[in-house]
């Protein structure tokens, strides 16, 4: 059956429980949460066709709107969206489906991951924001290739989206991922003939966590323990909690690596690969208690195998040249 459309003039707000801070270290953002279906906070379900995720209100837009001769349509079959038709380059040469108006902040993510099975032709994902040129809406296109007959998880980075106006390339504006107002799937590969694509899901994905991404912005305190019930871990966390203001004043982020429980960087849940990579880079054994302080320059400033007194920790930071300049600027 076909998905039904909601009122076109009313934006669909993908209003899951707010959890976006998991992908913005130290910053709380009131937008979408990670779907319960995902295994970690590096991906977020935007839509699938199982009936449990938001209906994006898809509609068909073919090149007949500009005098073309292509045909295309979609249907929801066996929990998949099937986009089929035939392109004819004697005219516009495209067929597309587009969502209803959205209100979606994806600024904490790096791109979109689409799960598709198609026919080997090249397809295009389309995004819109409130960007306008000469009063007309700008769209952003990113192409992706498919392999005939194979299910593929294809990552489309936001940096690959190019601004377009009626198929013409523009110099800007750049894509504002905090204000996604529409999505679409299109075929416009300048070829004639039938097309057939099955879409199972659309996720947003984040880059793997990296301390180096925080370089020159944050000081990172890493605390590792085998168990969430570790006495040393609890002692260290209580000391930090009791001095939260001093901790935050020094632009610090707390990373906890726990073998038998969730590991976190600020409010972000870390997956197993993130945790393993951090431990390797800092020479930490998964079963030991360990503390590491990484400065804003990315180098390790403190190594300990027992809880560190916060007055000693802050005194060490306050002696650092960068911190002394910060205090003078304040």
């Amino acid at each position: 059956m076909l998905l039904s459309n909601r009122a076109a003039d009313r934006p669909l707000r993908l209003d899951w429980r707010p959890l976006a801070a998991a992908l913005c270290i130290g910053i709380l953002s009131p937008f979408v949460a990670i779907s319960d279906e995902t295994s970690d906070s590096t991906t977020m379900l935007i839509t699938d066709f199982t009936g449990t995720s938001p209906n994006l209100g898809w509609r068909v837009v073919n090149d007949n709107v500009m005098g073309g001769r292509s045909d295309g349509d979609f249907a929801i079959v066996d929990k998949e969206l099937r986009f089929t038709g035939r392109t004819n380059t004697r005219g516009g040469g495209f067929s597309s489906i587009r969502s209803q108006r959205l209100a979606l902040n994806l600024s904490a993510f790096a791109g979109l991951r689409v799960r598709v099975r198609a026919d080997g032709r090249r397809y295009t994902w389309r995004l819109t924001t409130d960007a306008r040129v000469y009063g007309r809406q700008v769209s952003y296109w990113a192409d992706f290739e498919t392999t005939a007959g194979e299910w593929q998880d294809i990552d489309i980075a936001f940096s690959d989206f190019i601004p377009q106006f009626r198929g013409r390339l523009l110099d800007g504006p750049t894509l504002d991922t905090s204000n996604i107002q529409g999505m679409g799937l299109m075929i416009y590969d300048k070829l004639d003939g039938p097309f057939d694509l099955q879409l199972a899901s659309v996720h947003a994905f984040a880059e793997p966590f990296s301390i180096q991404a925080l370089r020159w912005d944050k000081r990172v305190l890493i605390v590792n323990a085998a168990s969430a019930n570790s006495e040393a871990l609890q002692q260290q966390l209580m000391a930090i909690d009791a001095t939260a203001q001093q901790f935050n004043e020094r632009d610090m982020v707390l990373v906890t690596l726990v073998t038998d429980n969730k590991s976190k960087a600020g409010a972000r849940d870390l997956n197993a690969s993130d945790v393993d990579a951090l431990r390797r880079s800092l020479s930490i054994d998964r079963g030991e208690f360990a503390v590491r302080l990484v400065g804003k320059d990315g180098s390790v400033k403190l190594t300990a195998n027992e809880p560190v007194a916060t007055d000693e920790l802050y005194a060490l930071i306050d002696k650092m040249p960068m911190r002394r300049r910060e205090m003078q600027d304040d």
Side-chain angles (χ1 to χ4, degrees):
M1 65 177 180
L2 298 182
L3 287 175
S4 61
N5 292 334
R6 293 172 46 170
D9 60 347
R10 183 175 57 187
L12 174 62
R13 298 185 180 275
L14 303 187
D15 190 20
W16 295 281
R17 297 182 305 277
L19 200 58
L23 296 164
C24 284
I25 301 303
I27 301 174
L28 293 175
S29 302
F31 60 101
V32 294
I34 297 156
S35 165
D36 291 340
E37 178 191 19
T38 60
S39 59
D40 58 67
S41 62
T42 61
T43 61
M44 181 195 76
L45 177 65
I46 293 175
T47 191
D48 61 15
F49 307 98
T50 63
T52 60
S53 68
N55 175 353
L56 300 193
W58 300 100
R59 60 190 173 89
V60 175
V61 179
N62 292 326
D63 60 13
N64 51 36
V65 298
M66 51 186 292
R69 304 179 181 183
S70 299
D71 292 317
D73 207 341
F74 74 96
I76 307 300
V77 180
D78 296 331
K79 300 179 181 179
E80 297 160 7
L81 183 151
R82 191 161 190 176
F83 176 44
T84 59
R86 178 179 292 271
T87 50
N88 187 331
T89 55
R90 295 177 63 187
F94 75 87
S95 177
S96 71
I97 58 172
R98 302 178 189 179
S99 75
Q100 67 183 60
R101 187 166 174 242
L102 308 176
L104 184 58
N105 184 337
L106 297 178
S107 59
F109 298 89
L112 298 175
R113 178 170 298 148
V114 295
R115 181 162 179 76
V116 300
R117 180 166 64 183
D119 47 19
R121 294 184 66 173
R122 184 177 71 249
Y123 290 81
T124 300
W125 199 263
R126 182 179 184 273
L127 296 174
T128 57
T129 67
D130 63 353
R132 297 289 188 274
V133 171
Y134 305 122
R136 300 294 184 91
Q137 186 177 58
V138 174
S139 60
Y140 296 82
W141 296 5
D143 294 339
F144 61 93
E145 302 289 342
T146 64
T147 301
E150 293 185 10
W151 279 107
Q152 298 171 269
D153 291 305
I154 299 174
D155 287 353
I156 310 170
F158 287 135
S159 58
D160 291 340
F161 282 86
I162 299 171
Q164 311 260 350
F165 177 66
R166 292 185 175 177
R168 296 193 297 272
L169 297 179
L170 301 174
D171 292 332
T174 57
L175 176 65
D176 179 6
T177 56
S178 70
N179 187 25
I180 302 299
Q181 296 189 356
M183 292 188 176
L185 173 63
M186 177 167 59
I187 185 163
Y188 187 38
D189 58 359
K190 310 297 178 66
L191 298 176
D192 292 313
F195 64 87
D196 188 343
L197 179 144
Q198 294 162 265
L199 175 65
S201 62
V202 182
H203 288 78
F205 70 88
E207 296 291 355
F209 175 76
S210 169
I211 288 179
Q212 292 304 312
L214 301 176
R215 194 176 182 186
W216 308 120
D217 184 45
K218 296 290 184 181
R219 298 178 179 92
V220 186
L221 185 70
I222 301 96
V223 184
N224 183 84
S227 171
N229 296 321
S230 162
E231 183 178 346
L233 174 63
Q234 294 302 318
Q235 181 181 338
Q236 189 69 78
L237 296 182
M238 288 175 63
I240 294 169
D241 185 60
T243 59
Q245 181 174 344
Q246 294 97 310
F247 190 88
N248 293 330
E249 285 174 352
R250 289 164 177 81
D251 298 333
M252 298 182 70
V253 171
L254 175 64
V255 175
T256 53
L257 309 180
V258 184
T259 302
D260 70 351
N261 210 316
K262 283 187 177 180
S263 297
K264 287 182 172 290
R268 170 178 173 166
D269 291 342
L270 300 178
N271 59 32
S273 60
D274 288 334
V275 173
D276 289 343
L278 279 170
R279 284 173 170 159
R280 284 195 303 271
S281 68
L282 296 166
S283 300
I284 296 174
D285 184 88
R286 67 195 303 268
E288 69 175 332
F289 178 81
V291 179
R292 301 286 189 272
L293 173 64
V294 177
K296 285 189 176 182
D297 63 359
S299 65
V300 177
K301 306 296 185 181
L302 179 148
T303 298
N305 294 105
E306 59 185 20
V308 177
T310 52
D311 56 350
E312 296 178 8
L313 176 66
Y314 301 147
L316 173 64
I317 292 172
D318 291 345
K319 291 178 182 177
M320 297 177 184
M322 188 176 298
R323 172 59 181 162
R324 293 168 79 173
R325 288 195 297 271
E326 291 169 357
M327 291 189 290
Q328 289 174 355
D329 292 342
D330 291 342

